[in-house]
Amino acid sequence: TEGGFHDKAVVSTQSTGGQNGSGKSAILMALVIGLGGKSSATNRAPNMTEFIKQGSTWGQVAITICNSNVHQDAWEFDKYGNIVIVERKITKKASFYKLKNSEGKVISSLKKDLTLLLDNYNIQVNNPVSILNQEMSKRFLASTDPSDKYKFFMKSTHLEQMILDYQQVNEKLGMIQHTIKKKEQSVPDVKNQVRHLQAQYNEITELRDLGQKVVKLKDELIWRKVKDIEEEMNPILQNLSKITDSLPVVQEKIAKEQERYNEAEAIVKAIEKETTQEMEKYASLESDQASLKQVAQAKKRLLWSCQEEKKKLGRTIKEIESDRARCLARIKEIQETNKARDLESEKENREAQLQELKTKRDEYTARMTTTTANMEELERKLSNLNEEVSTLRGDIDQHEAEMRKHSDRMRTQQEAKKNRVRVFGSFMPDLLKRVEDAHGQGRFHQKPRGPFGLHIKVRDPKWATVVEMAIGSSMCNFVVNDSHDRSILQELFRSCCQSQRDWPNLVMMRFREDYYDVSSQKPQSNYPTLYDMLDINDNMISNALVESFRIEQCLLIESSEAARKLIVGHAPRNVFQAWTLSGDDVRERGAYSNDISRTNARYFQNDPTGVIEELKRKIHGLQEQVKLQRQNRTAAEREVGIVRRQYTAEQSTQQNLKKQLNSIRSSIIELDNVEDAPLLDATAMESEVQDYTQQLQIQQEKLEAQSEKQQQYQAEYDEASRIHAESIERDSSITNKLEELKMKLHEGQRNSTKRHDILEMVKKKKKALMDEKKKLDREKKDKESEIGQAQSMAAQRCERVNSRRSAKDLEQHIQNMERRIQQGTRSNVNVEDISRRYHEAKTKYEDIKDSVSKMKSFSKQLEKTLTARQERYFKFRKEICIRLKYFFVMNLSQRGYTGKLDVDHEKRHLSMQLNVDTSGASTDTHDVRTLSGGERSFSTVCFICSLWNIMESPFRCLDEFDVFMDLYNRRITMNLLMEHASQTPRQRQYILFTPQDMSTFSKKFKNIKILQLAAPERQETNA
């Protein structure tokens, strides 16, 4: 049997007709079998041998496929040429394939090459979109079950195969993970076995050379002790060298500091002299400035009075001009009305209409007044409610913020109660431990000091809160010796703190042994200073506070009035600022008030229990207030909604009344104008215009006179202001310069004192270095004698041995080795057996680890790929459904039908809804199960054509697709199929098998070829 011809380059529609039994389905089966299909795909026979004709031993199918190189997807054109002939020979035992070229030469006989050929041309013989055989066609066309159509759709679009593939991959993934789990369970046992055997192996191999090692270790121990004595000399020599090198530097520094101190004193004297000169200038200018200011203010008052008078005249002129223009317009209106109106119109009719309209106006006006009053009342009520809601919201937000603040403070106090260090930060205990560890390891040149607050106590508790306001920002600070220590401490901050914002501040200054001498910088006053109030147990923290906050120059004065009187405007010498018990910050330039009643001490609180209880009471009280306020807010918001709806209703009523009232008023005005216009007289208006003209002339003359007066006052005021501004500028310049000189003087005095302290400190350092040098010289002489004796004793035993281990470690090592030698001599162990077992176990353990690692990597990659593919599957399925629904609607419209496809992936249903009313009288759709058989078949064919539109295939075959259709629906369906084929790009072939007469279609459509098969030979029997 020879199958149909497939041409990739030409669009042709081929219809094969014939009576039942003439061999139409045999041609279709030949295509399926010849292209590698299974016998089950034909629904005709259980195996291939059933297709061999009775009396024959073999059967053969040959199919010719166009392979023109015009197309990019030509299959191995250099081997096969323009055509590829596929032959399949079936025998009783097996079947064979041959692929021939255009000359009939066999190129391949392998099934895999046929598979590659089919994949190249996207030929799918098992896909019903490509080949719909007779049995499947009848079953599919006759079925109305949505699940059958869904299965057909899934199989046709390969979505079903994709799901099966993903399920299979999931099962494989589960097996892999189960295998990994089993192997991981065995790893600990194998690992323990390897460790045990390794320990035995190492012990046996080490016992061989332990004797010689013990002797060498004893020699090494002797010389290690010698080296320890020698190393004791190194610190002495290093310190002696440092002192020797430091003495010239210190002497040079003393000279430099003396010179700097002299320069600082000279600068202070120069600034004091310049300050005295500027004060004299300031006193002479201050008296002149007051008189100039009074003159300028007097001129300004005259100018303002003149400007106000001019504004009044301007307003009067505008009013006169407005009244005059109104009179002129009214005169013109009267004149035009007198010309246009007829005085003999029916007055009685107008009066009747006017009276009726006025009655309605009064009625609507009364209703409008009532509505307006209601709206005003509702507006006032709504405004009060909104204000109440806004106030409640603000109160709730304020109380919630206070609750959060109190909760944070209570949590801090609770932590401080357990560990005072935690009051400086939850990370501080861990940080201090790390600082201790780093200091013990020698990482710091000098151990950092901090936090500041941990080393400070307030002598008088009543000043605790004020002290925190003054220096509280530095209580978490640390002081370090140099940049190296700062870098190490910042590394510890990084490991302890969650973010850099939590890092304490660092103060870097050279460490010294004593406290700063601040006696010369303290003010001469009966009030205590901040320095006196603090008990600081660390000298460097005390010095840092002196440098940063000048605590020795901050007075503590209980009375705010006394502090202001003492400092503001004329601060005593060496007084920088003062703090009062009420929290006021008083300085020479002024005082700054603080609300200390809402603040409690955080770092200097002796017993936090009372503060915690007080905070709990405040939080509870705030919670009750917030609860009550929220209830009130909800009730007020509910009332706002009710009032707003009432207001909207009244507003709508008012608008309607306003429209009706405006209409009535317009009618009344119109009737009034019609009646009264002829009775008006313009004579009085004309006289009034003349009066306005005269008044306007008089006021304009007054305005011109006032303008001249204003110019004179403006010039006088500008001159007085200029003179006063120049005076202020000179005064301000001197004031700024005095302030600058005071700051320079203070800085110069501070610098002079600092230089004097440094000079004294360097002199003390030189004396300490000289004493230390004498002490080190004595120690050096004693240590040299001890080293000579130790080297002589060690040289008598052996030559010098270098060692990096300590003597204690060597002694312990020797004892352990001697003990192991004694134990090893008492045990009998097979060295070869232990070595073999150890290497075998180690190899097994490494193989298991490598296998588990690779399987985990593969499993992870497979799971990731599967997830990505499943996501793309759902997206692809959605796009397929959208295209299918679109083409289904388009194909229905060929007959004038409308409808839709519903695809439910959860229920696995695909249902079709149609409206077969072509007149357009009804828009309701119906399930296909309620339609006639022909209409159902037509809708199913539309569904198949829609699948053709969305799925690629080089040829499409349908067998007896019109078996359930009447003549009318068959004609419509054939027209649909023929038009679909004609509109398809010229790279598709359609093969239709039907027992009906198709001759009428050859005239209507081009590129159609009809094959009429001969009637079957049947034996007739007489009944």
Side-chain angles (χ1 to χ4, degrees):
T1 302
E2 183 173 348
F5 180 76
H6 167 56
D7 187 352
K8 287 281 288 183
V10 180
V11 174
S12 64
T13 304
Q14 178 173 302
S15 178
T16 303
Q19 300 179 9
N20 292 332
S22 59
K24 301 186 299 300
S25 298
I27 297 174
L28 189 61
M29 286 187 291
L31 281 172
V32 175
I33 295 170
L35 293 176
K38 297 180 181 180
S39 60
S40 59
T42 65
N43 292 322
R44 291 302 182 98
N47 54 61
M48 288 296 178
T49 58
E50 296 292 330
F51 294 107
I52 301 175
K53 189 176 181 179
Q54 292 183 357
S56 301
T57 58
W58 60 276
Q60 181 172 307
V61 179
I63 301 172
T64 304
I65 300 175
C66 179
N67 193 47
S68 174
N69 66 347
V70 175
H71 307 287
Q72 296 180 357
D73 54 354
W75 173 252
E76 297 186 359
F77 183 79
D78 55 340
K79 293 182 180 180
Y80 291 93
N82 290 326
I83 63 172
V84 178
I85 301 172
V86 180
E87 289 184 1
R88 184 176 185 181
K89 185 175 181 180
I90 304 171
T91 66
K92 295 290 185 180
K93 295 182 178 180
S95 62
F96 308 94
Y97 295 94
K98 290 183 181 179
L99 300 180
K100 299 180 179 180
N101 61 11
S102 56
E103 298 175 355
K105 181 180 177 181
V106 177
I107 303 300
S108 175
S109 59
L110 300 176
K111 175 69 180 296
K112 67 176 184 178
D113 289 336
L114 174 61
T115 303
L116 293 175
L117 172 65
L118 298 179
D119 290 341
N120 182 71
Y121 286 116
N122 198 25
I123 298 173
Q124 305 166 18
V125 295
N126 293 324
N127 192 334
V129 171
S130 297
I131 299 176
L132 187 63
N133 58 41
Q134 183 177 345
E135 293 299 324
M136 186 177 291
S137 177
K138 289 179 180 179
R139 187 166 62 252
F140 177 66
L141 292 173
S143 175
T144 59
D145 188 359
S147 61
D148 292 340
K149 286 184 171 54
Y150 184 82
K151 292 176 183 177
F152 184 83
F153 161 70
M154 294 294 286
K155 184 176 182 181
S156 301
T157 56
H158 291 287
L159 293 174
E160 183 178 22
Q161 185 61 42
M162 293 171 69
I163 292 176
L164 294 175
D165 292 342
Y166 295 154
Q167 290 176 351
Q168 186 178 7
V169 173
N170 257 327
E171 292 174 0
K172 295 289 185 183
L173 184 61
M175 294 171 60
I176 292 171
Q177 291 175 347
H178 179 68
T179 304
I180 292 172
K181 186 176 180 181
K182 288 180 64 178
K183 288 193 174 185
E184 285 180 336
Q185 290 175 352
S186 65
V187 167
D189 295 337
V190 178
K191 187 175 181 180
N192 291 333
Q193 183 182 4
V194 171
R195 288 178 176 175
H196 178 69
L197 292 173
Q198 185 179 13
Q200 292 182 349
Y201 177 78
N202 293 337
E203 184 177 359
I204 292 171
T205 54
E206 289 176 0
L207 285 174
R208 298 173 181 175
D209 302 325
L210 285 180
Q212 296 179 358
K213 288 184 178 179
V214 167
V215 175
K216 291 181 179 179
L217 286 174
K218 289 180 177 180
D219 294 342
E220 184 179 349
L221 176 61
I222 293 174
W223 282 105
R224 174 72 257 183
K225 292 179 178 179
V226 173
K227 186 176 181 181
D228 290 342
I229 298 173
E230 293 173 347
E231 289 177 350
E232 292 175 358
M233 173 68 84
N234 292 335
I236 298 174
L237 295 176
Q238 290 175 359
N239 292 334
L240 193 59
S241 176
K242 287 180 180 179
I243 292 173
T244 304
D245 295 338
S246 299
L247 283 172
V249 176
V250 171
Q251 184 61 41
E252 183 180 355
K253 191 171 183 180
I254 290 173
K256 289 182 179 179
E257 291 300 330
Q258 183 67 48
E259 183 179 354
R260 291 174 182 174
Y261 173 70
N262 295 336
E263 291 175 355
E265 282 294 316
I267 291 172
V268 169
K269 292 179 180 179
I271 294 173
E272 288 176 347
K273 181 178 179 181
E274 188 176 359
T275 302
T276 303
Q277 294 173 353
E278 293 298 326
M279 286 296 294
E280 293 174 355
K281 292 181 182 178
Y282 179 76
S284 63
L285 288 175
E286 195 172 22
S287 59
D288 296 338
Q289 184 180 347
S291 60
L292 291 174
K293 183 177 180 180
Q294 292 176 357
V295 172
Q297 289 178 346
K299 297 295 183 182
K300 187 175 183 180
R301 285 192 294 271
L302 289 174
L303 178 61
W304 282 354
S305 176
C306 184
Q307 288 175 344
E308 287 299 321
E309 185 65 26
K310 186 177 178 183
K311 289 179 182 178
K312 288 180 182 179
L313 290 172
R315 287 193 295 269
T316 304
I317 290 172
K318 286 183 179 180
E319 291 175 358
I320 294 172
E321 289 177 343
S322 177
D323 293 340
R324 183 173 177 276
R326 179 175 52 77
C327 290
L328 290 173
R330 184 59 179 161
I331 291 170
K332 185 177 180 181
E333 181 182 352
I334 291 170
Q335 291 172 352
E336 291 176 354
T337 302
N338 289 336
K339 292 177 182 180
R341 299 292 301 198
D342 184 4
L343 298 178
E344 299 299 330
S345 58
E346 297 180 357
K347 184 175 181 180
E348 294 179 358
N349 190 19
R350 289 198 305 273
E351 288 180 352
Q353 293 177 6
L354 188 62
Q355 185 62 33
E356 182 181 357
L357 290 172
K358 287 181 178 180
T359 303
K360 289 184 179 180
R361 181 193 63 187
D362 295 340
E363 179 185 351
Y364 282 118
T365 300
R367 291 174 60 187
M368 187 72 173
T369 302
T370 303
T371 304
T372 302
N374 293 339
M375 287 181 63
E376 290 176 354
E377 179 63 27
L378 290 173
E379 281 180 353
R380 287 193 295 272
K381 190 173 182 180
L382 186 61
S383 176
N384 293 335
L385 288 173
N386 285 330
E387 184 177 356
E388 181 181 355
V389 171
S390 177
T391 302
L392 287 171
R393 285 177 180 168
D395 292 343
I396 290 171
D397 293 341
Q398 180 181 357
H399 290 156
E400 287 178 344
E402 290 181 4
M403 286 167 58
R404 289 193 296 270
K405 181 179 178 182
H406 291 333
S407 297
D408 293 341
R409 288 195 55 214
M410 184 173 68
R411 187 164 48 254
T412 302
Q413 294 296 334
Q414 288 172 344
E415 292 177 352
K417 188 175 180 181
K418 299 176 183 178
N419 184 359
R420 184 171 179 266
V421 178
R422 298 184 67 86
V423 78
F424 303 101
S426 57
F427 60 89
M428 193 60 71
D430 183 33
L431 176 61
L432 293 179
K433 183 177 181 302
R434 291 174 184 261
V435 170
E436 287 291 342
D437 294 342
H439 177 62
Q441 296 169 4
R443 298 179 63 188
F444 291 111
H445 293 161
Q446 294 284 348
K447 179 183 174 183
R449 314 286 179 84
F452 284 10
L454 193 62
H455 300 272
I456 300 173
K457 292 182 180 179
V458 180
R459 301 181 190 276
D460 190 346
K462 71 179 180 181
W463 288 99
T465 304
V466 175
V467 170
E468 282 199 14
M469 295 177 67
I471 62 172
S473 60
S474 66
M475 290 300 97
C476 298
N477 291 2
F478 281 75
V479 60
V480 295
N481 180 60
D482 51 29
S483 58
H484 169 268
D485 291 352
R486 179 179 61 187
S487 300
I488 300 299
L489 189 56
Q490 286 176 344
E491 290 180 9
L492 300 181
F493 288 170
R494 195 174 290 107
S495 61
C496 294
C497 302
Q498 293 182 352
S499 66
Q500 192 169 353
R501 292 176 300 182
D502 299 332
W503 289 13
N505 293 325
L506 296 180
V507 178
M508 187 173 70
M509 57 190 302
R510 286 291 178 183
F511 281 14
R512 53 188 290 173
E513 298 299 329
D514 56 348
Y515 289 82
Y516 279 169
D517 183 5
V518 297
S519 57
S520 61
Q521 296 296 319
K522 292 179 67 176
Q524 300 297 325
S525 175
N526 295 328
Y527 297 109
T529 64
L530 188 56
Y531 185 89
D532 299 329
M533 187 58 63
L534 300 179
D535 183 6
I536 308 174
N537 61 15
D538 187 282
N539 67 302
M540 290 311 302
I541 292 177
S542 173
N543 297 342
L545 290 175
V546 170
E547 288 281 354
S548 302
F549 293 94
R550 298 162 66 175
I551 58 176
E552 78 283 5
Q553 296 180 353
C554 294
L555 295 179
L556 298 178
I557 304 173
E558 294 187 8
S559 171
S560 297
E561 183 179 355
R564 294 169 190 266
K565 184 176 181 181
L566 176 66
I567 295 176
V568 174
H570 44 75
R573 186 174 182 275
N574 290 338
V575 174
F576 170 64
Q577 67 180 139
W579 289 90
T580 69
L581 270 181
S582 60
D584 293 348
D585 178 7
V586 183
R587 306 196 183 199
E588 185 175 6
R589 293 186 178 182
Y592 307 93
S593 299
N594 296 290
D595 188 5
I596 197 171
S597 62
R598 303 173 62 89
T599 306
N600 291 323
R602 175 183 179 185
Y603 301 110
F604 302 124
Q605 183 70 38
N606 294 329
D607 184 10
T609 304
V611 177
I612 293 172
E613 293 300 324
E614 178 65 22
L615 291 172
K616 285 182 179 179
R617 286 193 296 271
K618 288 182 179 179
I619 292 172
H620 178 71
L622 289 171
Q623 288 174 342
E624 293 298 324
Q625 291 183 31
V626 169
K627 181 179 178 181
L628 180 60
Q629 287 169 344
R630 284 178 176 168
Q631 293 174 353
N632 295 338
R633 184 189 64 185
T634 303
E637 289 175 345
R638 192 183 303 112
E639 184 67 20
V640 165
I642 295 172
V643 174
R644 188 168 285 140
R645 287 191 293 273
Q646 293 175 352
Y647 180 81
T648 303
E650 292 291 338
Q651 190 177 35
S652 177
T653 303
Q654 185 194 45
Q655 290 175 354
N656 293 331
L657 290 172
K658 188 180 292 185
K659 289 180 181 178
Q660 295 174 359
L661 191 58
N662 288 338
S663 177
I664 293 171
R665 286 173 176 170
S666 298
S667 299
I668 292 173
I669 292 172
E670 184 178 354
L671 290 174
D672 283 338
N673 290 338
V674 169
E675 181 181 5
D676 298 333
L679 302 177
L680 294 175
D681 186 5
T683 305
M685 290 288 181
E686 292 174 351
S687 176
E688 190 174 353
V689 167
Q690 293 178 359
D691 293 340
Y692 284 141
T693 303
Q694 294 176 359
Q695 292 178 16
L696 184 63
Q697 184 176 2
I698 293 171
Q699 295 299 327
Q700 286 178 345
E701 291 175 355
K702 290 181 178 181
L703 181 63
E704 291 176 359
Q706 199 68 26
S707 298
E708 294 176 358
K709 198 172 183 181
Q710 179 184 349
Q711 292 178 359
Q712 177 184 353
Y713 288 156
Q714 183 69 48
E716 293 175 356
Y717 171 68
D718 291 342
E719 180 64 20
S721 298
R722 183 185 62 78
I723 296 171
H724 182 240
E726 291 176 355
S727 174
I728 291 175
E729 185 176 356
R730 290 194 300 272
D731 191 8
S732 176
S733 175
I734 294 175
T735 303
N736 293 337
K737 191 170 183 179
L738 282 172
E739 291 293 331
E740 183 180 353
L741 287 173
K742 287 182 180 179
M743 293 177 64
K744 287 182 178 179
L745 179 61
H746 180 272
E747 187 64 27
Q749 292 173 345
R750 180 181 179 84
N751 187 39
S752 175
T753 304
K754 182 178 179 181
R755 289 298 148 200
H756 180 268
D757 293 342
I758 293 174
L759 179 61
E760 294 298 322
M761 180 187 68
V762 175
K763 290 180 179 179
K764 291 179 181 179
K765 184 176 181 180
K766 178 182 178 182
K767 183 178 182 302
L769 288 175
M770 294 299 295
D771 296 340
E772 184 67 17
K773 184 174 183 299
K774 294 177 181 179
K775 179 182 175 183
L776 290 174
D777 287 335
R778 293 193 299 270
E779 292 179 357
K780 177 184 175 184
K781 185 176 180 181
D782 297 338
K783 189 59 66 177
E784 286 175 347
S785 174
E786 184 180 356
I787 291 172
Q789 295 176 3
Q791 288 177 345
S792 175
M793 294 175 63
Q796 294 176 3
R797 179 179 175 90
C798 64
E799 295 182 357
R800 189 179 183 94
V801 178
N802 294 323
S803 176
R804 295 183 178 180
R805 291 176 288 188
S806 65
K808 185 177 181 180
D809 290 342
L810 289 171
E811 290 173 350
Q812 185 65 37
H813 199 188
I814 291 171
Q815 292 176 4
N816 293 338
M817 291 176 69
E818 290 176 344
R819 192 181 303 113
R820 289 177 61 188
I821 290 172
Q822 293 174 3
Q823 293 174 354
T825 54
R826 293 196 296 266
S827 61
N828 296 320
V829 181
N830 190 334
V831 178
E832 288 75 12
D833 181 58
I834 292 296
S835 176
R836 177 183 58 78
R837 288 168 58 195
Y838 164 66
H839 287 97
E840 288 177 354
K842 184 178 180 181
T843 303
K844 180 181 179 181
Y845 172 69
E846 291 175 350
D847 291 343
I848 292 175
K849 281 183 61 180
D850 184 60
S851 174
V852 169
S853 176
K854 290 180 179 178
M855 291 180 73
K856 280 185 176 180
S857 176
F858 174 72
S859 173
K860 184 177 180 181
Q861 184 64 32
L862 181 60
E863 186 174 3
K864 181 180 178 181
T865 304
L866 179 60
T867 302
R869 283 182 174 271
Q870 286 176 338
E871 291 176 356
R872 289 198 294 270
Y873 162 77
F874 289 117
K875 183 178 180 181
F876 173 69
R877 186 180 69 180
K878 180 179 179 182
E879 293 175 352
I880 284 289
C881 290
I882 293 173
R883 294 185 61 202
L884 178 65
K885 293 175 182 179
Y886 168 76
F887 287 115
F888 179 72
V889 174
M890 296 300 295
N891 291 328
L892 285 178
S893 65
Q894 298 290 329
R895 190 176 172 183
Y897 292 172
T898 59
K900 63 179 180 177
L901 276 178
D902 291 330
V903 183
D904 191 337
H905 296 291
E906 293 184 359
K907 297 181 179 179
R908 299 182 63 81
H909 281 181
L910 189 149
S911 59
M912 293 182 283
Q913 302 286 332
L914 266 70
N915 179 8
V916 297
D917 185 4
T918 58
S919 64
S922 175
T923 59
D924 297 335
T925 58
H926 306 281
D927 192 275
V928 294
R929 289 177 287 190
T930 63
L931 304 177
S932 65
E935 291 170 340
R936 286 200 306 270
S937 299
F938 175 76
S939 63
T940 306
V941 170
C942 290
F943 176 62
I944 293 174
C945 290
S946 302
L947 288 173
W948 285 353
N949 285 114
I950 65 174
M951 298 302 295
E952 293 292 333
S953 179
F955 61 81
R956 284 82 183 263
C957 301
L958 291 179
D959 188 7
E960 295 194 9
F961 57 91
D962 54 355
V963 65
F964 297 108
M965 299 183 187
D966 54 20
L967 181 61
Y968 176 73
N969 283 295
R970 183 179 298 111
R971 179 172 58 80
I972 295 296
T973 301
M974 287 303 301
N975 281 330
L976 174 64
L977 293 173
M978 294 302 176
E979 290 177 0
H980 179 85
S982 300
Q983 295 172 2
T984 304
R986 298 178 62 83
Q987 294 181 0
R988 302 286 182 272
Q989 184 173 3
Y990 295 79
I991 305 172
L992 311 177
F993 298 90
T994 177
Q996 309 299 329
D997 183 14
M998 305 295 293
S999 59
T1000 58
F1001 292 96
S1002 61
K1003 298 177 182 180
K1004 185 176 180 181
F1005 296 97
K1006 299 178 180 180
N1007 298 327
I1008 182 172
K1009 181 178 180 182
I1010 300 177
L1011 300 179
Q1012 184 68 31
L1013 300 182
E1017 297 179 0
R1018 302 183 187 274
Q1019 296 179 355
E1020 296 183 358
T1021 58
N1022 296 325

